[in-house]
């Protein structure tokens, strides 16, 4: 069921704002109509199994898959043979991390990641710890960035894998993956990045950035849900993985299972669009993001930006509104889709572990909102969202004894 369309307040009427406004593009994105058009024939007319190599129906499906493989490879500077299709970034992360752990266990049992990684990486590493692997969870600095010297110190002669995300799903911070990859290659360590939030938003080049494994999810870049890919380096160095799914030996034995041809075609088209439009779109999104930041933070005191502004996804804004409960704010702006954390953890009311890693206490972490701008957001929507947030935060603070006390410099804790 689609959300009900609500009436727009008079001051925003006629400005092209249709409610509810969607600004949760880190959770998922609306499919681009051009992607849907590319996919449609593969549901009915071109319905063959890409593994059916003895008739035209299979050949046509395989052709669609191979075109998508090339489109994805072009976007990230890889070759088509280095692309393995999966059901999404969570599966790609699992295949990369568990695949390396199993394949290279004779070389060592040490894996390095960061405390701010997505649960798909953290929970996979925790699973491996139960099998006897040793995992180092690097802290981050106040701006969300990892200290490269800490990464260097964490490596030892048993380190087989470093897995650090390119762009954080909550605070949008971009890690220095090229420098990390260089460190790894100097030590003979494999480097994996979960790039679900980065692919299609910022330029990525697997060779220039020294990436050995890279996870992709279509639905984060205006493609379909339930399909993704794993880039797997074939030379300098060649990376080998143990498969985590057994079956018909699809995807060169790396991922058995009948291919989701329409989804794969959609992922390919989403990558092709990004290849053409990313520079212009990134500038547009950064402009809208900065407009939203300025229109909120210039009108409200006690607001704090979470994460580096310099090293950040163009469409990401994560703001703490002190003395306001995040859940109350979300309910107060229920005609706007935003998030108080990643979609994968929003079922719990625990404070965001990402914000706590930056040094925020529970109260401030609970008072933070993630705004994710995407391809279809407009300036009029940005202005509407800013006005609604300012109005709602101001109203909630009027009801907050702690805000009054802070204004009068009264320490409630004492």
């Amino acid at each position: 069921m689609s959300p009900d369309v609500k009436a727009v307040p008079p001051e925003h009427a006629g400005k092209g704002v249709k409610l509810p406004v969607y600004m949760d593009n880190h959770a998922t994105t609306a499919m681009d109509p051009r992607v849907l058009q590319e996919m449609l024939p593969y549901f009915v007319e071109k319905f063959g199994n890409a593994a059916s190599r003895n008739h035209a129906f299979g050949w046509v499906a395989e052709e669609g898959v191979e075109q998508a493989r090339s489109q994805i490879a072009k976007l990230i500077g890889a070759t088509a043979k280095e692309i393995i299709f999966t059901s999404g970034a969570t599966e790609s992360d699992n295949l990369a991390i568990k695949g390396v752990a199993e394949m290279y266990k004779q070389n060592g049992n040490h894996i390095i990641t960061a405390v701010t990684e997505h649960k798909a990486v953290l929970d996979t590493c925790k699973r491996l710890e139960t099998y006897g692997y040793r995992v180092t969870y690097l802290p981050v600095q106040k701006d969300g960035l990892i200290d490269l010297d800490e990464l260097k110190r964490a490596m030892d002669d048993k380190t087989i894998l470093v897995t650090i995300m390119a762009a954080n799903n909550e605070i949008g911070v971009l890690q220095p993956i090229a420098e990390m990859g260089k460190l790894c290659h100097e030590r003979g360590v494999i480097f994996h990045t979960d790039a679900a939030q980065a692919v299609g938003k910022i330029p990525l080049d697997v060779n220039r950035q020294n990436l050995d494994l890279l996870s992709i999810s279509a639905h984060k870049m205006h493609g379909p849900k339930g399909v993704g890919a794993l880039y797997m380096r074939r030379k300098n160095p060649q990376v080998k993985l143990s498969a985590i799914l057994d079956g018909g030996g699809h995807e060169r034995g790396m991922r058995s299972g009948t291919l989701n041809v329409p989804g794969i075609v959609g992922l390919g088209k989403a990558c092709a669009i990004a290849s053409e439009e990313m520079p212009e779109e990134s500038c547009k999104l950064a402009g809208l993001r900065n407009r939203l930041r300025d229109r909120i933070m210039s009108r409200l005191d006690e607001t704090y930006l979470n994460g580096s502004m310099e090293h950040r996804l163009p469409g990401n804004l994560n703001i703490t509104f002190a003395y306001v409960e995040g859940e109350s704010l979300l309910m107060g702006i229920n005609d706007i889709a935003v998030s108080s954390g990643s979609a994968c953890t929003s079922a719990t009311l625990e404070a965001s572990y990402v914000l706590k890693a930056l040094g925020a206490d529970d109260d401030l972490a609970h008072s933070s909102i993630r705004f994710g701008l995407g391809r279809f957001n407009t300036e009029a929507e940005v202005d509407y969202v800013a006005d609604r947030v300012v109005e709602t935060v101001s109203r909630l603070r009027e009801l907050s004894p702690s805000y009054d006390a802070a204004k009068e410099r009264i320490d409630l804790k004492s």
Side-chain angles (χ1 to χ4, degrees):
M1 190 168 97
S2 61
D4 294 331
V5 176
K6 301 177 182 179
V8 181
E11 64 271 24
H12 290 278
K15 295 183 181 176
V17 178
K18 190 166 113 178
L19 300 182
V21 174
Y22 188 77
M23 267 192 201
D24 200 16
N25 283 282
H26 300 311
T28 196
T29 57
M31 193 187 295
D32 191 301
R34 296 168 290 180
V35 171
L36 178 61
Q37 286 303 311
E38 195 84 0
M39 291 170 65
L40 285 174
Y42 291 87
F43 287 107
V44 181
E45 303 152 37
K46 304 177 180 181
F47 60 86
N49 185 331
S52 298
R53 300 241 164 90
N54 56 346
H55 53 65
F57 291 90
W59 302 334
V60 169
E62 186 180 28
E63 190 179 315
V65 166
E66 294 311 314
Q67 176 178 307
R69 218 185 287 277
S70 296
Q71 290 168 320
I72 297 162
K74 180 183 176 187
L75 179 61
I76 61 171
T79 65
K81 287 184 177 178
E82 293 175 308
I83 304 301
I84 306 295
F85 289 113
T86 67
S87 63
T90 293
E91 186 188 335
S92 295
D93 290 344
N94 272 263
L95 175 56
I97 297 167
K98 292 174 181 172
V100 167
E102 175 67 23
M103 180 60 71
Y104 295 90
K105 61 185 176 185
Q106 300 302 322
N107 297 1
N109 69 340
H110 183 222
I111 295 167
I112 300 173
T113 188
V115 292
T116 51
E117 290 294 304
H118 191 277
K119 290 288 188 182
V121 168
L122 293 177
D123 287 354
T124 302
C125 288
K126 285 186 172 74
R127 171 66 63 91
L128 288 174
E129 284 183 287
T130 68
Y131 298 153
Y133 288 86
R134 189 164 47 91
V135 181
T136 297
Y137 298 91
L138 294 174
V140 293
Q141 300 167 102
K142 195 167 176 53
D143 60 2
L145 290 166
I146 288 168
D147 183 335
L148 289 173
D149 288 332
E150 287 223 36
L151 172 59
K152 197 184 297 185
R153 284 194 295 271
M155 290 189 199
D156 60 34
D157 59 356
K158 295 296 182 185
T159 307
I160 53 174
L161 175 69
V162 171
T163 173
I164 303 288
M165 69 199 324
N168 188 272
N169 50 299
E170 289 192 42
I171 55 174
V173 167
L174 306 176
Q175 296 292 350
I177 53 174
E179 292 85 349
M180 292 176 176
K182 185 169 182 287
L183 279 178
C184 290
H185 284 184
E186 287 170 358
R187 302 287 189 94
V189 173
I190 294 169
F191 184 46
H192 164 250
T193 189
D194 176 342
Q197 298 288 350
V199 173
K201 319 278 179 55
I202 60 169
L204 290 170
D205 187 297
V206 294
N207 291 308
R208 285 190 202 144
Q209 292 172 299
N210 308 299
L211 302 172
D212 299 317
L213 295 158
L214 177 147
S215 300
I216 300 172
S217 210
H219 78 105
K220 303 293 190 185
M221 52 185 299
H222 301 285
K225 295 173 182 64
V227 64
L230 177 68
Y231 156 75
M232 178 177 156
R233 179 177 290 280
R234 281 172 66 90
K235 61 181 183 180
N236 302 322
Q238 181 185 15
V239 175
K240 297 180 180 179
L241 298 177
S242 290
I244 58 174
L245 287 178
D246 298 311
H250 306 76
E251 294 300 276
R252 297 190 299 283
M254 286 295 95
R255 203 278 185 179
S256 291
T258 301
L259 291 179
N260 171 8
V261 178
I264 287 167
V265 167
L267 170 55
K269 181 64 175 177
C271 288
I273 293 169
S275 290
E276 295 293 321
E277 301 178 4
M278 190 198 309
E280 184 181 340
E281 184 168 280
S282 294
C283 287
K284 174 203 158 189
L285 286 177
L288 289 177
R289 186 266 317 277
N290 293 345
R291 183 182 180 92
L292 180 63
R293 176 199 62 196
D294 295 344
R295 287 178 74 91
I296 291 174
M297 298 185 77
S298 65
R299 292 151 71 192
L300 290 171
D301 62 354
E302 299 289 352
T303 58
Y304 311 102
L305 186 71
N306 296 308
S308 168
M309 197 65 205
E310 181 186 356
H311 305 284
R312 194 182 201 96
L313 283 173
N316 176 276
L317 197 62
N318 192 305
I319 300 178
T320 293
F321 300 91
Y323 310 107
V324 171
E325 174 58 56
E327 295 301 312
S328 300
L329 178 51
L330 288 181
M331 287 190 285
I333 55 170
N334 62 5
D335 55 352
I336 301 165
V338 289
S339 169
S340 59
S342 84
C344 300
T345 57
S346 59
T348 71
L349 288 177
E350 291 178 15
S352 160
Y353 65 89
V354 173
L355 297 180
K356 289 177 78 172
L358 269 59
D361 62 22
D362 277 13
D363 286 345
L364 287 177
H366 274 305
S367 303
S368 302
I369 297 293
R370 177 186 70 179
F371 302 87
L373 290 102
R375 181 171 296 164
F376 304 116
N377 286 124
T378 64
E379 196 171 276
E381 287 178 334
V382 164
D383 293 349
Y384 176 77
V385 170
D387 289 349
R388 287 282 287 121
V389 167
V390 170
E391 168 203 330
T392 307
V393 169
S394 300
R395 179 167 47 80
L396 289 170
R397 282 179 173 173
E398 284 174 12
L399 306 172
S400 168
S402 58
Y403 181 65
D404 286 341
K407 298 302 285 181
E408 295 174 28
R409 304 187 184 280
I410 299 169
D411 184 358
L412 288 179
K413 290 179 181 174
S414 62

